[in-house]
Amino acid sequence: MFQLLILNLLGQAELPIDIGTLMNLVFLILFLMFIVWGQRIQIYIIMKDIEFVLRRVDLMKDEGRKMSLEKLKKHSAVPDPSAFLDRMLDYVVIEPVSMDPSGVVWKLDHLLKTAEDRIKGEIKEVASRAGDSERENISNLLEVAATLNLLYRILRHYYIMGKKTGNQIIIIQLQALLPEIMMQADALMGALYAYTYGHPIGDGAGALVAANLGYPNEFKNTGRDMEVCETEVEGRKVTVLKSRGPGATVGYPGDATQEVIKKRKFDLIIMVDAGLKLEGEKSGTVFEGIGAAIGGIGTEKFKIEEAVARKKSKLYGVIIRMSLKEAITPLTEEVLKGVETATARVREVIKEKVPEKGKVLVIGVGNTVGVR
Amino acid sequence: MPGNNSEEKYDLNISFFFFLLGFLVMISAFLIYSGFTNMQQSYTLPGAISIGLGVLGLALVGYNLLKLQGRLSTMGAAPAGPQVVTKQKCKSCGHEASRPFKEGDFIYGNGDACPKCGSGESMLIRSIFLHKPAKKRGL
């Protein structure tokens, strides 16, 4: 058969095949090939797509490690902190058992504080030349590098699982998630730069609103990584609470709120935070509502809700919309405009809802990297 | 880390990819050749279809090569750092100035000395934000 084909191609066949027959033959072979191996070819192409993303995330993860190592070396008295860094990149907080949910919030809160103390303590030992703010930035930088590392390991796990078992469901699901994974990885890359250099990030929008309200008054330390300031807006006494800047920390607004609320009764409590926008919505737009405007794992939200409910205070939320990428990368002009709008809106709400000489508590939630 | 175990090793094995592309080039070239032969023998329609399919095959090869080049260039390139701008305002005269972000800058922190009034007091950093260059518009 092939001999006949080759002889035909060379024009030396005794019985030449006409071109139509040859074309039919080629298409028949291709048709049978796709019938038998079509799915395999498709899976092969999908696997190549996954490999490409895996390689990119691998490069990003390496970049994260490199940037963290450079930052540590800059502030470290130890010549090579790479062993410490590798240990930190695999660091985990084991969640408490939730079969009996009663009291799980306090158990989780305790675990988170223990983990933070340990990480900060170790950073203090290794990066002994760094100041408080720098140490907080390093702590967040390591967290981002560890997240990139985890993202890479999970992606690699499912890729190898798909390859080993030939499970097309795993492979196709993984391919469907690739754009979202790349978006997250890109956002984490931006966060690496923000924490390395100390750029303010979108998530700091709430804290920035609080800083705007408090300026030019001095903020005083209160509780763990938090600070408080007393100011006045249109004859109303305003207590402003935010995490302590300019290092990268979100603090413990729940603990600080409980502490502040214990001492006095407020006519109104306003929480300001950054919120994830839905696709198609404009970044930097401000919306508001009722309830605790705070994200995270939920422990701080629980504490605030409990303290507010006990005192029967009114709780308003003002939220600035942004994407996940904007939340963890340097502040964009749109988000900055949103911060100005939110500051103005908080002033309006205070004026509208609180009588003169009334007391208001404004809680600016967010990461204070690059914000006083 | 990948690479320690042969089963876990992933790599961009592009030899099979190039083999497929080479096969496609051969088929396309053959289709174009046969198309012209058919045209010479006055089989215009089958000839045109063959040429069309051949050109389509070659275009597909070209597209895949360009896509591969794009991917390889993205993988090799180090990600560029963001362009962040610090905006400062003089507390005395209100003069506003912008400059690229310097490590240690933070909002409501102290900036540079005012170049306008020379009061000696440092300006106040009012905002720090990501500078996005204006998008180039096509025709």
Side-chain angles (χ1 to χ4, degrees):
Chain A
M1 179 75 174
F2 282 109
Q3 198 182 3
L4 193 67
L5 268 173
I6 290 162
L7 286 173
N8 261 284
L9 284 170
L10 296 171
Q12 292 173 0
E14 285 174 16
L15 281 167
I17 305 172
D18 70 297
I19 203 73
T21 315
L22 198 64
M23 286 280 291
N24 280 341
L25 202 64
V26 168
F27 280 109
L28 187 68
I29 292 167
L30 283 175
F31 179 70
L32 289 174
M33 219 173 91
F34 279 103
I35 288 267
V36 180
W37 293 301
Q39 220 164 20
R40 278 195 186 186
I41 293 169
Q42 207 176 357
I43 291 296
Y44 171 82
I45 294 166
I46 294 174
M47 288 302 266
K48 289 290 143 195
D49 272 351
I50 300 170
E51 272 174 23
F52 169 69
V53 170
L54 190 60
R55 179 61 66 92
R56 277 200 73 183
V57 177
D58 188 15
L59 286 173
M60 288 173 166
K61 174 207 77 171
D62 289 345
E63 185 71 13
R65 190 184 179 281
K66 196 176 126 198
M67 285 169 82
S68 307
L69 191 62
E70 278 168 12
K71 185 90 175 164
L72 276 173
K73 275 183 180 169
K74 193 175 163 189
H75 299 286
S76 176
V78 186
D80 186 18
S82 47
F84 163 76
L85 176 64
D86 289 332
R87 195 151 42 83
M88 283 294 116
L89 292 182
D90 277 336
Y91 201 83
V92 287
V93 176
I94 303 155
E95 279 185 34
V97 65
S98 56
M99 281 188 291
D100 178 15
S102 165
V104 76
V105 173
W106 303 111
K107 279 194 265 178
L108 189 57
D109 184 51
H110 171 68
L111 283 178
L112 291 174
K113 283 175 180 164
T114 311
E116 195 186 322
D117 285 342
R118 183 170 166 197
I119 292 170
K120 279 188 177 172
E122 293 201 26
I123 290 172
K124 201 173 180 177
E125 276 175 34
V126 176
S128 50
R129 289 200 288 250
D132 283 350
S133 299
E134 277 300 333
R135 278 206 294 273
E136 269 157 0
N137 289 355
I138 291 171
S139 168
N140 278 249
L141 178 64
L142 292 183
E143 206 178 311
V144 175
T147 312
L148 268 171
N149 192 34
L150 183 68
L151 189 67
Y152 168 74
R153 280 162 48 215
I154 292 173
L155 191 59
R156 185 183 58 179
H157 167 78
Y158 284 110
Y159 167 77
I160 294 167
M161 278 286 285
K163 210 172 180 180
K164 266 185 185 170
T165 59
N167 188 333
Q168 292 172 13
I169 304 290
I170 294 179
I171 297 166
I172 291 166
Q173 275 184 328
L174 196 56
Q175 193 214 16
L177 286 171
L178 289 181
E180 213 172 308
I181 290 171
M182 275 319 293
M183 272 162 69
Q184 281 195 19
D186 278 337
L188 287 166
M189 275 307 288
L192 279 179
Y193 284 101
Y195 293 128
T196 303
Y197 302 111
H199 301 146
I201 57 171
D203 185 47
L208 191 51
V209 170
N212 286 344
L213 285 170
Y215 183 80
N217 299 313
E218 273 297 303
F219 277 90
K220 288 174 191 160
N221 290 345
T222 176
R224 199 174 156 128
D225 296 335
M226 296 295 292
E227 51 187 20
V228 69
C229 155
E230 300 291 340
T231 185
E232 217 178 273
V233 173
E234 310 271 351
R236 283 88 173 159
K237 284 185 177 174
V238 181
T239 306
V240 185
L241 202 62
K242 72 172 191 68
S243 42
R244 189 169 55 236
T249 181
V250 287
Y252 289 87
D255 291 342
T257 307
Q258 284 190 332
E259 196 60 34
V260 173
I261 284 185
K262 210 195 298 175
K263 291 175 194 162
R264 56 198 132 150
K265 167 98 176 142
F266 290 97
D267 299 300
L268 179 65
I269 298 170
I270 306 172
M271 293 190 75
V272 192
D273 194 12
L276 283 185
K277 72 177 178 101
L278 299 173
E279 286 301 329
E281 287 179 334
K282 209 177 160 203
S283 292
T285 48
V286 175
F287 66 104
E288 53 194 276
I290 304 294
I294 182 169
I297 206 156
T299 50
E300 298 311 296
K301 190 174 183 176
F302 178 85
K303 290 176 205 166
I304 293 170
E305 283 171 348
E306 206 183 50
V308 170
R310 203 173 286 160
K311 284 270 183 173
K312 297 203 184 321
S313 303
K314 289 178 205 161
L315 181 61
Y316 283 17
V318 175
I319 298 139
I320 303 153
R321 282 193 183 100
M322 62 189 74
S323 66
L324 172 73
K325 188 172 181 177
E326 284 167 327
I328 59 172
T329 52
L331 268 177
T332 58
E333 284 177 82
E334 291 89 359
V335 176
L336 202 61
K337 276 179 194 154
V339 168
E340 282 160 25
T341 314
T343 310
R345 186 62 199 137
V346 169
R347 285 182 195 277
E348 276 171 23
V349 171
I350 292 172
K351 206 176 149 188
E352 286 165 14
K353 310 286 178 195
V354 182
E356 270 193 59
K357 291 183 182 171
K359 287 178 188 165
V360 188
L361 172 65
V362 177
I363 310 165
V365 181
N367 196 314
T368 42
V369 57
V371 180
R372 166 70 190 92
Chain B
M1 295 294 286
N4 299 337
N5 184 336
S6 63
E7 272 185 335
E8 288 185 7
K9 188 178 179 182
Y10 68 84
D11 60 340
L12 281 175
N13 181 10
I14 51 173
S15 51
F16 183 62
F17 175 74
F18 277 114
F19 169 74
L20 278 178
L21 286 189
F23 183 67
L24 199 58
V25 168
M26 274 170 60
I27 297 255
S28 304
F30 176 69
L31 280 171
I32 291 170
Y33 168 74
S34 67
F36 278 117
T37 320
N38 276 339
M39 295 274 252
Q40 278 170 354
Q41 291 168 357
S42 312
Y43 296 119
T44 322
L45 186 65
I49 292 172
S50 285
I51 293 169
L53 283 173
V55 170
L56 197 71
L58 287 179
L60 198 66
V61 171
Y63 168 74
N64 273 291
L65 284 174
L66 280 174
K67 205 172 149 189
L68 181 74
Q69 189 202 13
R71 282 185 163 193
L72 291 176
S73 62
T74 339
M75 285 189 39
Q83 280 187 308
V84 180
V85 174
T86 300
K87 215 170 173 179
Q88 319 172 70
K89 192 175 179 181
C90 179
K91 291 177 218 167
S92 310
C93 68
H95 171 70
E96 286 191 16
S98 296
R99 61 159 169 76
F101 174 88
K102 277 198 287 195
E103 222 175 320
D105 285 354
F106 60 89
I107 300 176
Y108 289 115
N110 291 328
D112 309 327
C114 180
K116 202 178 173 190
C117 68
S119 62
E121 200 181 358
S122 53
M123 293 198 281
L124 180 77
I125 297 179
R126 287 292 291 124
S127 58
I128 297 169
F129 57 90
L130 187 69
H131 174 67
K132 278 185 194 165
K135 279 181 188 171
K136 282 179 190 171
R137 290 193 174 199
L139 287 170

